[in-house]
Amino acid sequence: MQSYNEKYDEFKYEIITETEDGKLKQIYWNIAFGLQEVDNLKPSEYMIDLAIENIHGKKSYNDVESEISAYYDKKPEINKNLNEQEADIVSVRLVQLLSDKSFRFDYNTYRIYHKYLFDGLDIGISKKYIGNFRDYNISKSEPVLNGATVAYTNHLLIKDTLEYDFNEEKCYDYLNKSTDEIISHIATFTSNIWQVHPFGEGNTRTTALFIQKYIQYLGLGEMNNEIFKDNSRYFRNALVRANFRDISKGVYEDNNYLYKFFSNLLIETNYELNEEELFITKNEVSL
């Protein structure tokens, strides 16, 4: 018979510790490094060495972040590679959040993820916009659109638009939906919140993190997360194509590319994710 103390101990919270599964850690690091390529960033050799030590259980995530932060703090400003610094710091923070099972579905979490990933970094915008919605309008010349831009949400409408998208998603019932319907729906929701582009920079990486956490939270099964490692640029350009139209040239929003990506992610189909297919020809779009 259990003693009172033994029974009581069964109801205590357990501290969640970092996984010791090296293979799982390798996946997280692959995703994190792969996502940096969205902005043409690559981690430093030192960061890769620290990641390997983490995978082999020699250093914790906190150890890695402390050491990489100290590494850049000691460097004279003139010798700092800001692109590598961003890739390194954001990568370890992505890994920490991917490994954490906690999640809350709301647009404030989306905003907080942006703050956590980019806090203290020079990503080309004022520090006041890290973790805060932009108060200015933006455009971006896209190679896949021959220099045209997606029509991003007006800054005055960001909060209301995200609130609407998140409320609509909360009301969506995944029960008794076919696999095809679920994939299409996840792709559309991802496309919608990305199109808002609430932040001055770092939108795609923040969206990719949020969606992976959300899918995990929904319990839709094991994701083939390696897709993000090798196809992060495809992911971003598929989002671009899902949110661009030029009716005068017969070009409309196309979710097919994003559907292929999420199908490979969620049910491990073998769609070829060919970036060349995402490009429209010069005579298809007015600049």
Side-chain angles (χ1 to χ4, degrees):
M1 180 179 293
Q2 287 181 309
S3 69
Y4 172 83
N5 287 337
E6 289 172 331
K7 291 179 181 178
Y8 182 77
D9 285 343
E10 289 183 0
F11 290 92
K12 288 183 178 179
Y13 290 106
E14 294 182 9
I15 297 174
I16 299 175
T17 56
E18 182 176 318
T19 179
E20 296 179 1
D21 186 340
K23 184 177 180 181
L24 185 58
K25 287 184 177 184
Q26 176 79 65
I27 291 172
Y28 292 151
W29 282 108
N30 283 345
I31 296 167
F33 290 155
L35 282 173
Q36 304 316 307
E37 294 185 15
V38 165
D39 289 299
N40 298 312
L41 304 176
K42 290 186 179 297
S44 67
E45 185 175 348
Y46 182 52
M47 182 73 252
I48 293 172
D49 289 340
L50 288 175
I52 291 170
E53 290 191 83
N54 173 255
I55 290 166
H56 293 158
K58 296 178 181 178
K59 284 184 169 63
S60 68
Y61 295 141
N62 288 337
D63 292 336
V64 172
E65 181 167 15
S66 294
E67 290 191 29
I68 199 64
S69 295
Y71 171 75
Y72 285 106
D73 287 343
K74 292 175 183 177
K75 270 182 173 285
E77 289 297 324
I78 194 170
N79 293 332
K80 281 185 182 178
N81 183 326
L82 294 180
N83 287 340
E84 282 192 350
Q85 181 181 15
E86 180 181 340
D88 291 352
I89 300 296
V90 174
S91 289
V92 68
R93 291 173 180 175
L94 273 167
V95 168
Q96 289 173 312
L97 287 172
L98 286 169
S99 65
D100 176 25
K101 305 304 180 186
S102 63
F103 182 76
R104 180 183 175 90
F105 182 79
D106 55 35
Y107 66 83
N108 194 47
T109 299
Y110 187 39
R111 181 187 63 78
I112 291 170
Y113 283 170
H114 185 269
K115 179 175 177 57
Y116 183 75
L117 291 179
F118 301 105
D119 191 36
L121 295 174
D122 181 358
I123 61 171
I125 58 175
S126 171
K127 291 182 179 180
K128 75 174 184 177
Y129 293 116
I130 304 296
N132 291 310
F133 299 151
R134 56 184 168 83
D135 57 6
Y136 53 90
N137 291 328
I138 58 173
S139 66
K140 187 171 187 176
S141 174
E142 299 288 354
V144 294
L145 304 178
N146 281 298
T149 181
V150 169
Y152 298 113
T153 297
N154 185 291
H155 73 89
L156 297 172
L157 305 176
I158 288 174
K159 184 176 179 181
D160 287 343
T161 304
L162 284 178
E163 189 173 63
Y164 174 82
D165 288 337
F166 275 77
N167 284 339
E168 286 289 294
E169 178 63 19
K170 282 182 179 179
C171 293
Y172 184 77
D173 186 0
Y174 283 88
L175 190 63
N176 298 322
K177 296 295 192 299
S178 69
T179 300
D180 181 71
E181 287 175 311
I182 289 173
I183 293 170
S184 294
H185 181 80
I186 289 289
T188 298
F189 173 65
T190 305
S191 173
N192 287 345
I193 63 172
W194 180 87
Q195 184 274 333
V196 177
H197 247 56
F199 313 108
E201 292 289 348
N203 288 279
T204 302
R205 283 173 284 177
T206 306
T207 301
L209 169 66
F210 185 86
I211 289 301
Q212 287 178 84
K213 297 280 290 180
Y214 181 44
I215 291 172
Q216 185 181 61
Y217 166 77
L218 288 172
L220 293 177
E222 293 296 322
M223 287 180 286
N224 181 18
N225 275 321
E226 293 283 1
I227 296 296
F228 280 102
K229 169 182 173 285
D230 299 317
N231 300 281
S232 61
R233 293 292 296 276
Y234 181 97
F235 173 66
R236 187 190 185 281
N237 287 334
L239 287 163
V240 169
R241 288 303 308 272
N243 286 285
F244 178 78
R245 67 162 53 195
D246 186 336
I247 296 176
S248 68
K249 299 297 181 181
V251 179
Y252 296 86
E253 295 93 338
D254 191 342
N255 274 332
N256 289 325
Y257 306 110
L258 203 54
Y259 176 91
K260 290 178 182 179
F261 180 90
F262 276 102
S263 181
N264 285 3
L265 175 72
L266 291 171
I267 59 174
E268 297 191 38
T269 47
N270 293 307
Y271 286 115
E272 182 182 2
L273 304 181
N274 183 358
E275 279 195 70
E276 296 301 317
E277 293 179 355
L278 295 163
F279 284 76
I280 59 178
T281 61
K282 288 184 180 180
N283 61 359
E284 281 182 313
V285 61
S286 57
L287 303 180

